[in-house]
């Protein structure tokens, strides 16, 4: 009996829609903090325009550099609310997607695109107001000839992404939280939002001192016991 895993995995669990809706209200930075300061993709992957935001479940795609055959297949397979998360091997020599593909994604209800690769037609995508996070742009078009994989774990921006994981992004960048973990982080994230709002309010009232700073400086050996700034 063959044990080979198919290149296309069609079925996988996704974060439930009501959890996606709750988590989408948070900043990626908040989720990264409560997830242990991990899950944030490398800063090379950023919003095509700073106002762009997305949140949804990861639909993973792996392609060979400069070839988008499997992205076309992924668009045909993805469900509304999915985010295409594309391992494009960090290649910037040609674009993997442009206006035609992005228009199809938008029409199908795909929540956005995150790719370790380049896009093109950036002005038109801007006018569409469709959220795209990439490593930049290139006017050169891709080939459509080389196989890849769909629904497998991928490495995008130095983060391992499993199909069905929660993906959220804004002007700061892209954060991925494991499907099994995202719901359990929501209470801690809500508390952090409240705590940060209270701290900002206190600072505005004049309480600018960081209470933890002196202790941390002593622990680091910068200040001796009894010394202060």
């Amino acid at each position: 009996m063959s044990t080979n895993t198919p290149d296309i995995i069609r079925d996988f669990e996704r974060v439930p829609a009501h959890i996606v809706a709750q988590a989408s209200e948070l900043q990626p930075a908040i989720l990264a903090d409560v997830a242990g300061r991990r899950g944030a993709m490398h800063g090379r992957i950023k919003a095509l325009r700073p106002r762009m935001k997305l949140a949804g479940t990861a639909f993973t795609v792996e392609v060979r550099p400069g070839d988008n055959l499997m992205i076309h297949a992924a668009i045909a397979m993805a469900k509304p609310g999915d985010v295409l998360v594309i391992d494009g091997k960090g290649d910037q020599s040609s674009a993997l997607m442009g206006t035609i593909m992005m228009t199809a994604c938008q029409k199908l209800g795909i929540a956005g695109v995150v790719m370790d690769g380049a896009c093109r037609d950036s002005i038109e995508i801007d006018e569409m107001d469709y959220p795209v996070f990439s490593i930049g742009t290139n006017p050169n078009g891709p080939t459509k000839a080389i196989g890849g994989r769909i629904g497998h774990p991928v490495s995008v921006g130095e983060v391992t992404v499993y199909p069905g994981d929660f993906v959220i992004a804004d002007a700061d960048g892209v954060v991925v939280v494991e499907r099994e973990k995202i719901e359990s982080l929501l209470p801690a994230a809500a508390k952090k939002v409240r705590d940060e709002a209270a701290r900002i309010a206190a600072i505005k009232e004049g309480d600018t001192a960081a209470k933890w700073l002196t202790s941390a400086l002593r622990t680091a050996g910068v200040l001796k016991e009894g010394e202060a700034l």
Side-chain angles (χ1 to χ4, degrees):
M1 184 175 69
S2 174
T3 58
N4 291 336
T5 303
D7 288 334
I8 295 177
I9 297 176
R10 302 173 185 276
D11 298 311
F12 51 86
E13 285 192 64
R14 292 165 166 84
V15 176
H18 72 283
I19 300 299
V20 171
Q22 290 179 52
S24 68
E25 297 295 321
L26 298 161
Q27 288 181 301
I30 293 289
L31 283 172
D33 279 356
V34 298
R37 289 177 167 81
R38 59 178 299 277
M41 291 184 181
H42 190 283
R44 69 174 177 269
I45 301 177
K46 52 192 173 184
L48 193 61
R49 297 291 184 268
R51 74 174 186 283
M52 292 181 173
K53 298 180 181 180
L54 62 74
T57 48
F59 193 95
T60 57
V61 190
E62 182 183 359
V63 301
R64 290 288 295 275
D67 191 282
N68 73 358
L69 176 65
M70 299 308 288
I71 304 175
H72 284 276
I75 292 171
M77 294 174 61
K79 295 182 179 180
D82 283 344
V83 175
L84 296 187
V85 180
I86 302 162
D87 176 7
K89 314 302 180 187
D91 178 64
Q92 282 186 279
S93 64
S94 62
L96 290 175
M97 300 179 72
T99 306
I100 292 174
M101 297 174 77
M102 298 300 183
T103 301
C105 287
Q106 190 174 53
K107 179 66 175 178
L108 290 166
I110 295 171
V113 174
V114 173
M115 57 181 163
D116 209 340
C119 68
R120 68 178 182 179
D121 307 326
S122 57
I123 299 298
E124 292 175 345
I125 295 169
D126 180 20
E127 291 170 351
M128 290 166 56
D129 201 20
Y130 188 68
V132 174
F133 291 72
S134 70
I135 60 173
T137 59
N138 192 304
N140 194 35
T143 58
K144 298 173 173 57
I146 305 172
R149 300 200 301 178
I150 290 173
H152 290 253
V154 292
S155 178
V156 179
E158 281 74 66
V159 171
T160 300
V161 186
Y162 289 83
D165 282 350
F166 179 72
V167 184
I168 188 167
D170 66 7
D172 288 342
V174 184
V175 170
V176 179
V177 180
E178 296 93 327
R179 176 181 59 80
E180 303 88 346
K181 191 174 181 180
I182 181 63
E183 184 174 5
S184 69
L185 294 180
L186 295 180
K191 181 179 184 301
K192 186 168 180 61
V193 170
R194 293 192 299 270
D195 289 349
E196 289 195 357
R199 181 64 191 129
I200 290 168
I203 290 170
K204 289 181 178 179
E205 291 297 319
D207 181 11
T208 60
K211 308 297 187 294
W212 52 267
L213 180 58
T214 298
S215 176
L217 290 170
R218 286 175 183 159
T219 300
V222 177
L223 292 179
K224 295 178 181 179
E225 193 65 36
E227 283 188 322
L229 291 177

